[in-house]
Amino acid sequence: MLEQQIVYVVSDSIGETAEFVVRAAASQFDSGHYEIRRVSYVDDEDSIKEVVLAAKEVGGFIAFTLILPSLRNAMMDYAAAAGVHVVDIMGPMIDAFRTVYKQEPKLRPGLVHQLDEDYFRRVEAVEFAVKYDDGRDSRGLLRADVVLIGVSRTSKTPLSMYLAHRRIKVANVPLVPESSPPDELFQLPVKHIIGLTINPDELNLIRQERLKSLGLTPQASYAKYERILFELEFADKIMKRLGCPVINVSNKAVEETASIILDLMKRGGHTI
């Protein structure tokens, strides 16, 4: 027996249904040997082909919930050609409803979660905010509803999470003089970017408290007043270059700043 067997769960929606079924089945075996890899929101044949090849490479199989017949057929065809075992979880049940009750399916992915659409959009937005927090992956900037920029400790991360719970996909980028902003930032429409600034005295206090909480000396360069002025000047130049709106977060609660951001987004034509 292999040390670990891998099951790929493929869906054109979140993939919860398929994963639940797979886990229920795996519980009847030595579940410690099984790894479930979920591949969500599959909507093209190339993605299907990639998963099939991955499953073949590890000697695993695929369980899938694909609603569109074209994608279901593509999965069956690619898997057969590669010799990969697949389990169509949703297809036979849809066919049964069609056959017995003489009705045609809507063929719209994700309807099982329609009542909880807001919840799942919120989950997706939170996952997005975590993935693209603090400039981790600049590719996410082009997919974000809004991008927050500013120096360290201007509430970029708390605001990203707050807005994510409003189902808004937020990425944020720290502006640091020693590092040029990512090229993707300058490819965005101005309405997708919001700058955050802060009073230097307040930022100085915030950074000193941050250093104390980390057990570091407040005299570190991070909290020095000259350094803070240097960073704020650098950020101001970038924001002026971009031409984006700028919010001064000094003495503002996250909720208050978020309300201003939402208003700016509405005025910019975003659907919120």
Side-chain angles (χ1 to χ4, degrees), residues 215-229:
L216 302 173
T217 171
Q219 282 72 44
S221 173
Y222 178 70
K224 285 186 176 179
Y225 202 78
E226 296 79 8
R227 171 67 188 186
I228 287 172
L229 291 176

Side-chain angles (χ1 to χ4, degrees), residues 129-137 152 156-157 160 171-174:
V130 171
K131 184 174 182 179
Y132 299 111
D133 181 45
D134 206 31
R136 286 178 188 161
D137 187 345
S152 174
K156 296 186 300 297
T157 296
S160 295
N172 71 76
V173 177

